[in-house]
Amino acid sequence: KRKCPICRARIPPSKEMVATLHAYRAEKQLLEDNNDTSSERYRDACLLLKDAEELIGSDWDGVTVLEDNNDKPPVVMPDYITKAIREGDIKAFLRWINANRKEDRANASLTIDTVSIPALSAATACGQLASMTHLLQLGANVDGRTIFGGTAISYAFEGELEDVNNKVKLLLSWGASFFPERDCSREGCVSEARKSGHHEVARLLESELGG
């Protein structure tokens, strides 16, 4: 349960959290309708739903959600800036961001095979630590999510150990959160780090900094 640090009032769930909750409920119901209640998929659905319900809290009224002050769709990044992000051409993308400060270009998205990915997640996947740092300093949302729910930290486990370690440390230092979905949960990230042989990163994620 989340509370305001000043008044301690209960903070309602975000629209995204509610959408996730409904999706897990629908998935569980569909499996039950198909009498598929003994499969691993059903067990996973139950666990994910339980996590989502605990995150939102049993006292939620089922109606109130956190108001989103930014209902505008994200700025779409032009192809040459997408290339700059991938290649770590910091000067090019900084020029583009600063060319129009009225637009929230630090949270722009790029499109790969019709899938929209936040710039920070793309820079993380490409191992561009300097670009990640600049984006965060310019206001990129450390928990910005793709259409499939992935966040920057779920893209951090590719590459050499030192690179992965630095990416994870940077994102955690900026307050990266974990979410109920397996790829975005703490347990899922720890598992992915260990599977990739990044045991130091796994310990980091399990540490106080990772919490």
Side-chain angles (χ1 to χ4, degrees), residues 134-150:
H134 280 290
L135 284 166
L136 289 163
Q137 290 172 343
L138 289 166
N141 179 5
V142 71
D143 291 327
R145 309 187 79 178
T146 69
I147 191 171
F148 299 114

Side-chain angles (χ1 to χ4, degrees), residues 96-97 103-108 118-120 134-136 138-141:
W96 179 73
I97 288 175
E103 292 183 339
D104 186 11
R105 292 188 172 187
N107 285 297
L120 179 62
H134 280 290
L135 284 166
L136 289 163
L138 289 166
N141 179 5

Side-chain angles (χ1 to χ4, degrees), residues 105-192:
R105 292 188 172 187
N107 285 297
S109 64
L110 56 93
T111 302
I112 300 176
D113 295 332
T114 73
V115 176
S116 178
I117 300 176
L120 179 62
S121 291
T124 303
C126 294
Q128 301 296 347
L129 189 69
S131 296
M132 291 168 62
T133 303
H134 280 290
L135 284 166
L136 289 163
Q137 290 172 343
L138 289 166
N141 179 5
V142 71
D143 291 327
R145 309 187 79 178
T146 69
I147 191 171
F148 299 114
T151 62
I153 202 163
S154 63
Y155 289 88
F157 301 102
E158 297 295 330
E160 298 297 324
L161 174 58
E162 184 178 357
D163 294 334
V164 173
N165 202 356
N166 288 335
K167 287 189 292 185
V168 170
K169 279 184 177 178
L170 176 67
L171 294 169
L172 291 176
S173 72
W174 280 84
S177 302
F178 298 99
F179 296 90
E181 299 93 328
R182 175 163 177 77
D183 288 346
C184 299
S185 68
R186 184 193 307 279
E187 295 77 11
C189 288
V190 169
S191 174
E192 185 63 29

Side-chain angles (χ1 to χ4, degrees), residues 52-145:
E53 288 175 337
E54 288 178 354
L55 186 64
I56 288 178
S58 59
D59 56 348
W60 178 52
D61 61 12
V63 177
T64 307
V65 295
L66 190 65
E67 288 298 320
D68 186 356
N69 294 323
N70 185 18
D71 287 328
K72 295 180 181 179
V75 176
V76 177
M77 196 176 291
D79 289 344
Y80 77 96
I81 297 301
T82 297
K83 182 179 179 182
I85 288 285
R86 286 172 170 168
E87 296 179 353
D89 186 350
I90 296 172
K91 290 183 179 179
F93 93 77
L94 285 180
R95 278 197 304 269
W96 179 73
I97 288 175
N98 291 321
N100 188 344
R101 298 310 295 268
K102 291 181 180 180
E103 292 183 339
D104 186 11
R105 292 188 172 187
N107 285 297
S109 64
L110 56 93
T111 302
I112 300 176
D113 295 332
T114 73
V115 176
S116 178
I117 300 176
L120 179 62
S121 291
T124 303
C126 294
Q128 301 296 347
L129 189 69
S131 296
M132 291 168 62
T133 303
H134 280 290
L135 284 166
L136 289 163
Q137 290 172 343
L138 289 166
N141 179 5
V142 71
D143 291 327
R145 309 187 79 178

Side-chain angles (χ1 to χ4, degrees), residues 6-80:
I6 299 174
C7 67
R8 307 304 297 166
R10 178 82 164 80
I11 299 176
S14 66
K15 293 177 184 177
E16 189 175 68
M17 292 166 67
V18 172
T20 299
L21 175 69
H22 290 326
Y24 289 151
R25 283 177 175 169
E27 171 77 1
K28 180 174 178 286
Q29 187 62 54
L30 178 64
L31 292 168
E32 289 173 350
D33 291 344
N34 292 331
N35 294 318
D36 186 9
T37 56
S38 59
S39 66
E40 184 176 349
R41 183 180 175 188
Y42 181 75
R43 289 192 293 274
D44 286 345
C46 290
L47 288 171
L48 289 169
L49 176 58
K50 180 175 179 290
D51 287 344
E53 288 175 337
E54 288 178 354
L55 186 64
I56 288 178
S58 59
D59 56 348
W60 178 52
D61 61 12
V63 177
T64 307
V65 295
L66 190 65
E67 288 298 320
D68 186 356
N69 294 323
N70 185 18
D71 287 328
K72 295 180 181 179
V75 176
V76 177
M77 196 176 291
D79 289 344
Y80 77 96

